[in-house]
Amino acid sequence: MADSSDRSERAKGVVYCVTDLWPALCYLLEWHYQHLIFAEDGPFIIRQHAVALLALIGAGLQQDADAASSCGASALGEKLLVCCSKWFTAAERNGANEFSQKMLLAGCLWTAARAQHVVGVETYKTFLAKYLTPFVRSERFGEIIQTLSSSSLLLTHFEDRSEYGISSLPSLGAVQVRRNQTAPTLIVTRSYPVFLLHALLRLTLDGQCTSLKEDIFGSASHRHYLQALCARTRNMQQSNAVSLMGNWFVQTIEQRYLLDVLQLVLVEIGKSGKKCSTELEEDLASKVAVITIGLQLAFFLTCSLSEAFYPELVKLLDDIIFVPAYYGTVALELGVTGADMQRWKLNYKLLAQKALQNEVNQARDRDGFTVTEWKSALLQRSWPYSPLYLMVDKLEKGTPKLELLTETAIISTGLRFPELIEAVGISIATPTEQLMYLMASFLGPDSKFLEPDVSELIKRRIAHLRTLVANDGKAFDFTTAKIENRKSYYGLYQLALDTFQSSSYGHSGFGCLLMVPLAQQYDARWRNMVWSEYVAVLRFITCEERELFGTMAQYLEPAEDDIVLLRSYEQALNSNLLRPGSIPHRIAQHHLQAYRSKVKVMPPDSVN
């Protein structure tokens, strides 16, 4: 409470200080009215000075009765609107393609909105109708937003400057290297229009200029921008290409803009449980369903928001991601109820809170943020699967019990919610990552995977992944894959082998996951490791041929030529370590017979 009152007093101090300067500020505005050249060839430093002046004036134009009745405030407000009118007229005639021009127009809108109580509502509305509306509906405005996708900080590919031997500067990421360039450039280009669009967006959110909503946000350029962002959620390669999720400029400019876009046109759908049509929504729906755009855009943001945006992240979870209306009939087909969604939402909020490094960020009213809070995303890209990692973490740390959630809740949340997300076309993990998370579902301390309902869920998800991999035709990537950006496949596979050996009870689903890297198409080191160090595990593999990832032929061909591995096959068969007729037994028998038919006898032990 003390901090809140201190901030309030400081804010009042700013207002009183600025209001004392109104005559001087009015003089400066008059100077800019006379001397500022809005055209692109005019001095941009003068336009930047005008933007700073508008920001200072805006701090003093608060909703205050005394300020509104002041003669100085009235004169300042009138001069402000005169300047804004002049500059918007110039933009309508000649365009605003340079960055400082867009910044100046945005500053006009932010400050003029605060001045309406000073100049009068009717005067302010006249400005909007006579100067802003013609500008937005002009060809010049269309030229400005044409660059929205090409200049986007989220859609543009950037590379680490260290690759070019250029040491980093303490610039908050303002200087970057773009694709196919070796010279660093500013992250915000001359054509970047988001500042101006955000100012226009705030007007519509405040209930003003609603008639312009269609012209601004229903344009082809803006639709293309949203669709390009949403495409990142449907393509894992594109989602991995985003390299600026932890950039300060991305977060403070473009991510805040997108959060407000969602507030404008999408959240109402979830809150009411049905689509509330507007002109913009009907226009968007002609190509892509508004509900789908809202859900995909919300997911895109959840994977990129840093800890500094924790309240906004919670709002996305509340208003969109865990609202059944956004999933339509898909939720009904999968048997997902409103109670399920509420329970899952609570579980993921607990995980997000656990990831916080600074508890202060849970409050909306806070002063700035530090480097550790914006350098990386709060949630992993595959966060719907993240509950399953709690069991991996517990197993590695050797803690007596699971944190936050029960084993059943972890498996149910970590498999059913991703199932729902993927069913609506959102890609949240690569096939290899999905395989690893499925392995993690068997690592709980109480072997809940043996319970009928849980076992059926796991087998259903395994079957889905098996179909996905078969249709994709690509091999798993066991070399570089990690889950939660922490655990490699090798480390997880060893944990799974140890668990299977001690408490698998011959579960066929668990066994088929362990068989995946033993196919002939993968490196022989996986087969050598299992057949030498974990050969006892193979006796409990009970999966059938139809449960394998790929065909049986992929485990038999080409014939094995690794002598060490062939010896392991022979030893396992001679020691009766394998169940006759099982998949491992058939594999060992086949490769030994193939080798013997080629060389007639096994080589002596001395042969390497």
Side-chain angles (χ1 to χ4, degrees):
M1 291 297 292
D3 291 342
S4 178
S5 61
D6 289 344
R7 281 193 292 269
S8 177
E9 290 301 320
R10 289 198 299 269
K12 290 179 180 178
V14 171
V15 174
Y16 297 150
C17 178
V18 174
T19 54
D20 292 340
L21 295 175
W22 271 338
L25 296 176
C26 190
Y27 173 80
L28 287 173
L29 271 180
E30 176 64 30
W31 186 91
H32 277 289
Y33 179 81
Q34 297 293 339
H35 300 287
L36 185 146
I37 301 174
F38 187 82
E40 187 173 350
D41 56 359
F44 70 88
I45 193 68
I46 302 298
R47 292 193 291 269
Q48 290 179 347
H49 181 272
V51 174
L53 176 62
L54 291 174
L56 179 61
I57 293 172
L61 293 174
Q62 305 295 328
Q63 298 289 342
D64 183 85
D66 294 335
S69 61
S70 168
C71 294
S74 178
L76 181 65
E78 291 174 3
K79 179 56 65 177
L80 172 66
L81 288 188
V82 169
C83 290
C84 294
S85 302
K86 178 182 179 180
W87 296 331
F88 269 98
T89 300
E92 180 189 352
R93 291 175 180 172
N94 304 313
N97 297 319
E98 204 271 329
F99 183 70
S100 65
Q101 292 176 301
K102 300 183 185 70
M103 281 290 291
L104 181 56
L105 295 179
C108 287
L109 294 178
W110 288 105
T111 309
R114 293 183 175 183
Q116 59 180 307
H117 68 286
V118 175
V119 299
V121 176
E122 291 303 320
T123 302
Y124 177 68
K125 287 184 177 179
T126 300
F127 159 72
L128 296 179
K130 190 174 180 180
Y131 297 98
L132 177 61
T133 299
F135 165 70
V136 170
R137 291 176 175 168
S138 68
E139 293 183 2
R140 297 299 187 182
F141 180 74
E143 294 172 358
I144 291 173
I145 63 173
Q146 268 185 341
T147 63
L148 182 57
S149 295
S150 61
S151 64
S152 167
L153 305 184
L154 289 169
L155 294 175
T156 305
H157 180 83
F158 295 90
E159 298 178 6
D160 186 352
R161 295 188 302 153
S162 62
E163 295 181 9
Y164 302 94
I166 305 171
S167 58
S168 298
L169 299 174
S171 60
L172 300 180
V175 183
Q176 296 284 332
V177 177
R178 287 173 168 78
R179 186 190 297 274
N180 301 324
Q181 292 184 358
T182 56
T185 57
L186 290 176
I187 184 173
V188 178
T189 63
R190 288 165 57 88
S191 60
Y192 193 59
V194 169
F195 282 107
L196 176 57
L197 285 173
H198 203 176
L200 290 167
L201 174 60
R202 292 307 307 181
L203 289 180
T204 59
L205 286 175
D206 294 337
Q208 303 162 4
C209 298
T210 54
S211 61
L212 297 179
K213 190 187 299 184
E214 166 72 13
D215 301 281
I216 302 170
F217 306 106
S219 65
S221 297
H222 205 275
R223 285 201 307 269
H224 178 267
Y225 169 66
L226 293 181
Q227 291 165 6
L229 290 172
C230 292
R232 296 291 176 95
T233 67
R234 301 190 298 271
N235 187 311
M236 288 306 302
Q237 290 182 342
Q238 285 189 333
S239 66
N240 288 334
V242 178
S243 58
L244 287 178
M245 290 308 189
N247 182 275
W248 186 85
F249 286 86
V250 172
Q251 295 182 49
T252 56
I253 300 173
E254 199 154 341
Q255 287 180 357
R256 288 192 184 278
Y257 172 68
L258 290 174
L259 287 168
D260 279 345
V261 168
L262 283 175
Q263 293 303 310
L264 175 65
V265 295
L266 300 169
V267 173
E268 292 82 357
I269 300 170
K271 286 183 176 179
S272 64
K274 60 182 180 180
K275 183 175 182 292
C276 303
S277 297
T278 66
E279 291 182 4
L280 171 60
E281 290 171 359
E282 290 172 357
D283 189 55
L284 284 172
S286 64
K287 291 189 176 181
V288 183
V290 176
I291 291 178
T292 303
I293 289 182
L295 187 60
Q296 292 177 347
L297 186 56
F299 255 94
F300 177 82
L301 288 172
T302 61
C303 301
S304 59
L305 292 177
S306 69
E307 180 173 327
F309 286 81
Y310 177 77
E312 287 78 7
L313 174 64
V314 170
K315 187 170 179 60
L316 288 178
L317 300 182
D318 288 335
D319 293 345
I320 297 180
I321 292 176
F322 288 100
V323 175
Y326 280 88
Y327 301 89
T329 58
V330 175
L332 297 176
E333 293 170 359
L334 294 176
V336 176
T337 65
D340 290 330
M341 297 290 268
Q342 290 300 314
R343 185 168 58 254
W344 296 342
K345 178 173 68 175
L346 176 61
N347 293 343
Y348 285 109
K349 283 184 178 180
L350 290 174
L351 289 176
Q353 289 176 3
K354 181 176 181 289
L356 285 175
Q357 298 182 39
N358 189 347
E359 294 184 359
V360 173
N361 287 311
Q362 295 189 43
R364 285 188 172 274
D365 187 15
R366 60 197 188 280
D367 294 328
F369 45 86
T370 63
V371 171
T372 57
E373 295 163 1
W374 58 261
K375 273 295 185 182
S376 59
L378 180 62
L379 299 179
Q380 298 293 328
R381 171 178 44 79
S382 56
W383 66 265
Y385 283 106
S386 291
L388 295 167
Y389 195 79
L390 291 174
M391 296 196 292
V392 178
D393 199 39
K394 185 264 177 195
L395 194 60
E396 286 194 311
K397 292 180 178 178
T399 53
K401 61 180 182 179
L402 289 165
E403 296 183 42
L404 301 178
L405 305 173
T406 65
E407 184 175 340
T408 302
I410 287 173
I411 297 175
S412 176
T413 304
L415 291 183
R416 290 190 65 200
F417 183 59
E419 181 180 37
L420 176 63
I421 294 302
E422 291 165 357
V424 295
I426 296 176
S427 297
I428 54 179
T430 65
T432 309
E433 290 168 344
Q434 292 182 45
L435 177 73
M436 294 171 71
Y437 281 116
L438 283 168
M439 290 166 59
S441 67
F442 289 95
L443 304 184
D446 300 322
S447 301
K448 293 295 184 180
F449 61 84
L450 296 173
E451 295 183 359
D453 291 345
V454 177
S455 179
E456 181 61 31
L457 169 62
I458 294 175
K459 287 185 176 181
R460 185 171 76 238
R461 297 298 292 146
I462 291 175
H464 169 77
L465 179 59
R466 188 184 298 116
T467 302
L468 178 67
V469 172
N471 293 337
D472 187 43
K474 294 182 180 179
F476 289 105
D477 177 16
F478 298 132
T479 304
T480 61
K482 286 186 176 182
I483 55 174
E484 305 298 301
N485 203 28
R486 294 162 64 186
K487 195 66 178 175
S488 67
Y489 181 83
Y490 179 79
L492 183 66
Y493 192 59
Q494 285 185 312
L495 286 177
L497 287 170
D498 290 334
T499 302
F500 186 86
Q501 190 168 353
S502 62
S503 57
S504 70
Y505 301 97
H507 192 282
S508 62
F510 198 172
C512 78
L513 295 179
L514 296 181
M515 289 295 299
V516 174
L518 305 187
Q520 291 298 106
Q521 68 189 106
Y522 299 112
D523 196 303
R525 72 166 181 150
W526 301 108
R527 299 189 291 278
N528 272 309
M529 179 177 71
V530 173
W531 284 90
S532 61
E533 301 174 35
Y534 294 93
V535 65
V537 166
L538 299 172
R539 185 171 185 82
F540 302 101
I541 298 290
T542 61
C543 61
E544 300 178 8
E545 186 175 332
R546 60 180 175 80
E547 296 179 274
L548 293 174
F549 281 77
T551 63
M552 186 65 184
Q554 291 176 295
Y555 293 81
L556 303 179
E557 302 297 337
E560 187 60 65
D561 58 3
D562 186 303
I563 299 301
V564 174
L565 184 54
L566 287 167
R567 289 193 191 289
S568 297
Y569 288 155
E570 183 182 42
Q571 184 176 358
L573 289 172
N574 292 339
S575 304
N576 293 321
L577 295 176
L578 307 176
R579 287 187 305 105
S582 66
I583 297 292
H585 185 273
R586 292 168 58 187
I587 291 174
Q589 203 169 46
H590 169 83
H591 287 296
L592 279 177
Q593 289 176 351
Y595 185 82
R596 285 167 177 165
S597 65
K598 183 170 62 174
V599 300
K600 304 304 181 183
V601 294
M602 285 291 291
D605 291 345
S606 60
V607 177
N608 293 324

PDB file of all heavy atoms in Angstrom, residues 54 84 88 104-114 124 127-128 132 135 196 199-200 203:
ATOM      1  N   LEU A  54       5.325  16.130 -27.195  1.00  0.00           N
ATOM      2  CA  LEU A  54       3.970  15.603 -27.026  1.00  0.00           C
ATOM      3  C   LEU A  54       3.896  14.649 -25.838  1.00  0.00           C
ATOM      4  O   LEU A  54       2.906  14.636 -25.095  1.00  0.00           O
ATOM      5  CB  LEU A  54       3.529  14.886 -28.305  1.00  0.00           C
ATOM      6  CG  LEU A  54       3.290  15.766 -29.532  1.00  0.00           C
ATOM      7  CD1 LEU A  54       3.005  14.905 -30.758  1.00  0.00           C
ATOM      8  CD2 LEU A  54       2.148  16.741 -29.292  1.00  0.00           C
ATOM      9  N   CYS A  84      -1.883  18.881 -34.647  1.00  0.00           N
ATOM     10  CA  CYS A  84      -2.243  17.527 -35.083  1.00  0.00           C
ATOM     11  C   CYS A  84      -2.994  17.568 -36.408  1.00  0.00           C
ATOM     12  O   CYS A  84      -2.758  16.743 -37.302  1.00  0.00           O
ATOM     13  CB  CYS A  84      -3.092  16.843 -34.015  1.00  0.00           C
ATOM     14  SG  CYS A  84      -2.210  16.508 -32.469  1.00  0.00           S
ATOM     15  N   PHE A  88      -1.643  15.685 -39.793  1.00  0.00           N
ATOM     16  CA  PHE A  88      -2.426  14.617 -40.410  1.00  0.00           C
ATOM     17  C   PHE A  88      -2.840  14.986 -41.831  1.00  0.00           C
ATOM     18  O   PHE A  88      -2.925  14.129 -42.710  1.00  0.00           O
ATOM     19  CB  PHE A  88      -3.658  14.292 -39.557  1.00  0.00           C
ATOM     20  CG  PHE A  88      -3.409  13.213 -38.547  1.00  0.00           C
ATOM     21  CD1 PHE A  88      -3.115  13.526 -37.232  1.00  0.00           C
ATOM     22  CD2 PHE A  88      -3.437  11.877 -38.918  1.00  0.00           C
ATOM     23  CE1 PHE A  88      -2.864  12.531 -36.292  1.00  0.00           C
ATOM     24  CE2 PHE A  88      -3.191  10.871 -37.993  1.00  0.00           C
ATOM     25  CZ  PHE A  88      -2.901  11.206 -36.676  1.00  0.00           C
ATOM     26  N   LEU A 104       5.460  10.654 -34.970  1.00  0.00           N
ATOM     27  CA  LEU A 104       4.808  11.937 -34.698  1.00  0.00           C
ATOM     28  C   LEU A 104       3.290  11.798 -34.773  1.00  0.00           C
ATOM     29  O   LEU A 104       2.565  12.319 -33.910  1.00  0.00           O
ATOM     30  CB  LEU A 104       5.300  12.989 -35.691  1.00  0.00           C
ATOM     31  CG  LEU A 104       4.721  14.397 -35.525  1.00  0.00           C
ATOM     32  CD1 LEU A 104       4.972  14.923 -34.117  1.00  0.00           C
ATOM     33  CD2 LEU A 104       5.306  15.345 -36.569  1.00  0.00           C
ATOM     34  N   LEU A 105       2.793  11.089 -35.776  1.00  0.00           N
ATOM     35  CA  LEU A 105       1.347  10.880 -35.882  1.00  0.00           C
ATOM     36  C   LEU A 105       0.823  10.077 -34.693  1.00  0.00           C
ATOM     37  O   LEU A 105      -0.247  10.376 -34.150  1.00  0.00           O
ATOM     38  CB  LEU A 105       1.019  10.160 -37.189  1.00  0.00           C
ATOM     39  CG  LEU A 105       1.328  10.921 -38.488  1.00  0.00           C
ATOM     40  CD1 LEU A 105       0.977  10.066 -39.694  1.00  0.00           C
ATOM     41  CD2 LEU A 105       0.569  12.244 -38.532  1.00  0.00           C
ATOM     42  N   ALA A 106       1.582   9.057 -34.289  1.00  0.00           N
ATOM     43  CA  ALA A 106       1.174   8.266 -33.127  1.00  0.00           C
ATOM     44  C   ALA A 106       1.157   9.127 -31.873  1.00  0.00           C
ATOM     45  O   ALA A 106       0.223   9.060 -31.059  1.00  0.00           O
ATOM     46  CB  ALA A 106       2.114   7.076 -32.942  1.00  0.00           C
ATOM     47  N   GLY A 107       2.190   9.971 -31.710  1.00  0.00           N
ATOM     48  CA  GLY A 107       2.227  10.865 -30.556  1.00  0.00           C
ATOM     49  C   GLY A 107       1.051  11.823 -30.541  1.00  0.00           C
ATOM     50  O   GLY A 107       0.500  12.134 -29.470  1.00  0.00           O
ATOM     51  N   CYS A 108       0.651  12.290 -31.717  1.00  0.00           N
ATOM     52  CA  CYS A 108      -0.524  13.166 -31.804  1.00  0.00           C
ATOM     53  C   CYS A 108      -1.771  12.466 -31.274  1.00  0.00           C
ATOM     54  O   CYS A 108      -2.560  13.045 -30.513  1.00  0.00           O
ATOM     55  CB  CYS A 108      -0.747  13.601 -33.256  1.00  0.00           C
ATOM     56  SG  CYS A 108       0.444  14.802 -33.871  1.00  0.00           S
ATOM     57  N   LEU A 109      -1.956  11.217 -31.669  1.00  0.00           N
ATOM     58  CA  LEU A 109      -3.160  10.490 -31.256  1.00  0.00           C
ATOM     59  C   LEU A 109      -3.159  10.205 -29.759  1.00  0.00           C
ATOM     60  O   LEU A 109      -4.184  10.359 -29.085  1.00  0.00           O
ATOM     61  CB  LEU A 109      -3.273   9.185 -32.046  1.00  0.00           C
ATOM     62  CG  LEU A 109      -3.521   9.336 -33.552  1.00  0.00           C
ATOM     63  CD1 LEU A 109      -3.556   7.980 -34.230  1.00  0.00           C
ATOM     64  CD2 LEU A 109      -4.827  10.085 -33.805  1.00  0.00           C
ATOM     65  N   TRP A 110      -2.010   9.759 -29.231  1.00  0.00           N
ATOM     66  CA  TRP A 110      -1.943   9.467 -27.796  1.00  0.00           C
ATOM     67  C   TRP A 110      -2.223  10.726 -26.976  1.00  0.00           C
ATOM     68  O   TRP A 110      -2.968  10.699 -25.988  1.00  0.00           O
ATOM     69  CB  TRP A 110      -0.556   8.929 -27.428  1.00  0.00           C
ATOM     70  CG  TRP A 110      -0.248   7.538 -27.895  1.00  0.00           C
ATOM     71  CD1 TRP A 110       0.574   7.187 -28.928  1.00  0.00           C
ATOM     72  CD2 TRP A 110      -0.749   6.304 -27.363  1.00  0.00           C
ATOM     73  NE1 TRP A 110       0.618   5.824 -29.069  1.00  0.00           N
ATOM     74  CE2 TRP A 110      -0.184   5.249 -28.120  1.00  0.00           C
ATOM     75  CE3 TRP A 110      -1.616   5.992 -26.326  1.00  0.00           C
ATOM     76  CZ2 TRP A 110      -0.454   3.913 -27.869  1.00  0.00           C
ATOM     77  CZ3 TRP A 110      -1.888   4.653 -26.067  1.00  0.00           C
ATOM     78  CH2 TRP A 110      -1.314   3.632 -26.835  1.00  0.00           C
ATOM     79  N   THR A 111      -1.623  11.849 -27.378  1.00  0.00           N
ATOM     80  CA  THR A 111      -1.745  13.078 -26.592  1.00  0.00           C
ATOM     81  C   THR A 111      -3.096  13.741 -26.793  1.00  0.00           C
ATOM     82  O   THR A 111      -3.699  14.247 -25.839  1.00  0.00           O
ATOM     83  CB  THR A 111      -0.613  14.054 -26.971  1.00  0.00           C
ATOM     84  OG1 THR A 111       0.638  13.375 -26.903  1.00  0.00           O
ATOM     85  CG2 THR A 111      -0.579  15.241 -26.020  1.00  0.00           C
ATOM     86  N   ALA A 112      -3.599  13.740 -28.026  1.00  0.00           N
ATOM     87  CA  ALA A 112      -4.900  14.357 -28.293  1.00  0.00           C
ATOM     88  C   ALA A 112      -6.013  13.643 -27.535  1.00  0.00           C
ATOM     89  O   ALA A 112      -6.977  14.273 -27.081  1.00  0.00           O
ATOM     90  CB  ALA A 112      -5.182  14.344 -29.794  1.00  0.00           C
ATOM     91  N   ALA A 113      -5.880  12.327 -27.385  1.00  0.00           N
ATOM     92  CA  ALA A 113      -6.897  11.585 -26.639  1.00  0.00           C
ATOM     93  C   ALA A 113      -6.950  12.047 -25.185  1.00  0.00           C
ATOM     94  O   ALA A 113      -8.023  12.101 -24.573  1.00  0.00           O
ATOM     95  CB  ALA A 113      -6.600  10.089 -26.708  1.00  0.00           C
ATOM     96  N   ARG A 114      -5.799  12.408 -24.623  1.00  0.00           N
ATOM     97  CA  ARG A 114      -5.766  12.897 -23.246  1.00  0.00           C
ATOM     98  C   ARG A 114      -6.248  14.343 -23.137  1.00  0.00           C
ATOM     99  O   ARG A 114      -6.572  14.800 -22.039  1.00  0.00           O
ATOM    100  CB  ARG A 114      -4.340  12.800 -22.697  1.00  0.00           C
ATOM    101  CG  ARG A 114      -3.844  11.372 -22.528  1.00  0.00           C
ATOM    102  CD  ARG A 114      -2.465  11.353 -21.911  1.00  0.00           C
ATOM    103  NE  ARG A 114      -2.017   9.989 -21.633  1.00  0.00           N
ATOM    104  CZ  ARG A 114      -0.874   9.682 -21.041  1.00  0.00           C
ATOM    105  NH1 ARG A 114      -0.059  10.665 -20.662  1.00  0.00           N
ATOM    106  NH2 ARG A 114      -0.535   8.431 -20.818  1.00  0.00           N
ATOM    107  N   TYR A 124     -12.933  17.568 -30.041  1.00  0.00           N
ATOM    108  CA  TYR A 124     -12.090  16.391 -30.271  1.00  0.00           C
ATOM    109  C   TYR A 124     -12.700  15.494 -31.346  1.00  0.00           C
ATOM    110  O   TYR A 124     -11.997  15.001 -32.240  1.00  0.00           O
ATOM    111  CB  TYR A 124     -11.919  15.630 -28.959  1.00  0.00           C
ATOM    112  CG  TYR A 124     -11.120  14.358 -29.077  1.00  0.00           C
ATOM    113  CD1 TYR A 124      -9.757  14.385 -29.370  1.00  0.00           C
ATOM    114  CD2 TYR A 124     -11.728  13.121 -28.894  1.00  0.00           C
ATOM    115  CE1 TYR A 124      -9.026  13.215 -29.480  1.00  0.00           C
ATOM    116  CE2 TYR A 124     -10.999  11.949 -28.996  1.00  0.00           C
ATOM    117  CZ  TYR A 124      -9.651  12.000 -29.289  1.00  0.00           C
ATOM    118  OH  TYR A 124      -8.932  10.844 -29.394  1.00  0.00           O
ATOM    119  N   PHE A 127     -12.064  16.833 -34.750  1.00  0.00           N
ATOM    120  CA  PHE A 127     -10.710  16.507 -35.216  1.00  0.00           C
ATOM    121  C   PHE A 127     -10.659  15.088 -35.783  1.00  0.00           C
ATOM    122  O   PHE A 127     -10.085  14.851 -36.857  1.00  0.00           O
ATOM    123  CB  PHE A 127      -9.722  16.659 -34.058  1.00  0.00           C
ATOM    124  CG  PHE A 127      -8.438  15.913 -34.253  1.00  0.00           C
ATOM    125  CD1 PHE A 127      -7.498  16.345 -35.180  1.00  0.00           C
ATOM    126  CD2 PHE A 127      -8.169  14.753 -33.529  1.00  0.00           C
ATOM    127  CE1 PHE A 127      -6.309  15.645 -35.377  1.00  0.00           C
ATOM    128  CE2 PHE A 127      -6.988  14.051 -33.720  1.00  0.00           C
ATOM    129  CZ  PHE A 127      -6.056  14.499 -34.646  1.00  0.00           C
ATOM    130  N   LEU A 128     -11.273  14.150 -35.083  1.00  0.00           N
ATOM    131  CA  LEU A 128     -11.257  12.763 -35.546  1.00  0.00           C
ATOM    132  C   LEU A 128     -11.977  12.618 -36.881  1.00  0.00           C
ATOM    133  O   LEU A 128     -11.505  11.915 -37.786  1.00  0.00           O
ATOM    134  CB  LEU A 128     -11.909  11.851 -34.501  1.00  0.00           C
ATOM    135  CG  LEU A 128     -11.221  11.748 -33.133  1.00  0.00           C
ATOM    136  CD1 LEU A 128     -12.012  10.827 -32.210  1.00  0.00           C
ATOM    137  CD2 LEU A 128      -9.787  11.249 -33.267  1.00  0.00           C
ATOM    138  N   LEU A 132      -8.546  12.803 -38.974  1.00  0.00           N
ATOM    139  CA  LEU A 132      -8.072  11.425 -38.826  1.00  0.00           C
ATOM    140  C   LEU A 132      -8.768  10.482 -39.798  1.00  0.00           C
ATOM    141  O   LEU A 132      -8.113   9.671 -40.465  1.00  0.00           O
ATOM    142  CB  LEU A 132      -8.286  10.946 -37.386  1.00  0.00           C
ATOM    143  CG  LEU A 132      -7.884   9.492 -37.114  1.00  0.00           C
ATOM    144  CD1 LEU A 132      -6.394   9.285 -37.382  1.00  0.00           C
ATOM    145  CD2 LEU A 132      -8.225   9.085 -35.687  1.00  0.00           C
ATOM    146  N   PHE A 135      -7.564  10.574 -43.388  1.00  0.00           N
ATOM    147  CA  PHE A 135      -6.216  10.009 -43.480  1.00  0.00           C
ATOM    148  C   PHE A 135      -6.264   8.482 -43.495  1.00  0.00           C
ATOM    149  O   PHE A 135      -5.621   7.834 -44.333  1.00  0.00           O
ATOM    150  CB  PHE A 135      -5.373  10.507 -42.308  1.00  0.00           C
ATOM    151  CG  PHE A 135      -4.100   9.727 -42.106  1.00  0.00           C
ATOM    152  CD1 PHE A 135      -3.058   9.818 -43.016  1.00  0.00           C
ATOM    153  CD2 PHE A 135      -3.953   8.884 -41.010  1.00  0.00           C
ATOM    154  CE1 PHE A 135      -1.890   9.086 -42.841  1.00  0.00           C
ATOM    155  CE2 PHE A 135      -2.799   8.154 -40.826  1.00  0.00           C
ATOM    156  CZ  PHE A 135      -1.761   8.249 -41.742  1.00  0.00           C
ATOM    157  N   LEU A 196       2.182   3.593 -34.966  1.00  0.00           N
ATOM    158  CA  LEU A 196       0.993   4.307 -35.425  1.00  0.00           C
ATOM    159  C   LEU A 196      -0.250   3.433 -35.306  1.00  0.00           C
ATOM    160  O   LEU A 196      -1.306   3.889 -34.852  1.00  0.00           O
ATOM    161  CB  LEU A 196       1.195   4.759 -36.870  1.00  0.00           C
ATOM    162  CG  LEU A 196       0.003   5.454 -37.542  1.00  0.00           C
ATOM    163  CD1 LEU A 196      -0.439   6.672 -36.737  1.00  0.00           C
ATOM    164  CD2 LEU A 196       0.353   5.848 -38.971  1.00  0.00           C
ATOM    165  N   ALA A 199      -1.493   3.243 -31.717  1.00  0.00           N
ATOM    166  CA  ALA A 199      -2.223   4.436 -31.291  1.00  0.00           C
ATOM    167  C   ALA A 199      -3.650   4.417 -31.827  1.00  0.00           C
ATOM    168  O   ALA A 199      -4.606   4.769 -31.120  1.00  0.00           O
ATOM    169  CB  ALA A 199      -1.487   5.684 -31.769  1.00  0.00           C
ATOM    170  N   LEU A 200      -3.821   3.998 -33.077  1.00  0.00           N
ATOM    171  CA  LEU A 200      -5.164   3.878 -33.651  1.00  0.00           C
ATOM    172  C   LEU A 200      -5.965   2.794 -32.934  1.00  0.00           C
ATOM    173  O   LEU A 200      -7.171   2.934 -32.706  1.00  0.00           O
ATOM    174  CB  LEU A 200      -5.056   3.556 -35.145  1.00  0.00           C
ATOM    175  CG  LEU A 200      -4.531   4.681 -36.035  1.00  0.00           C
ATOM    176  CD1 LEU A 200      -4.171   4.145 -37.416  1.00  0.00           C
ATOM    177  CD2 LEU A 200      -5.563   5.799 -36.150  1.00  0.00           C
ATOM    178  N   LEU A 203      -7.547   3.950 -29.729  1.00  0.00           N
ATOM    179  CA  LEU A 203      -8.762   4.740 -29.936  1.00  0.00           C
ATOM    180  C   LEU A 203      -9.983   3.835 -30.046  1.00  0.00           C
ATOM    181  O   LEU A 203     -11.038   4.116 -29.474  1.00  0.00           O
ATOM    182  CB  LEU A 203      -8.633   5.592 -31.201  1.00  0.00           C
ATOM    183  CG  LEU A 203      -7.657   6.772 -31.155  1.00  0.00           C
ATOM    184  CD1 LEU A 203      -7.655   7.492 -32.493  1.00  0.00           C
ATOM    185  CD2 LEU A 203      -8.023   7.743 -30.041  1.00  0.00           C
TER     186      LEU A 203
END
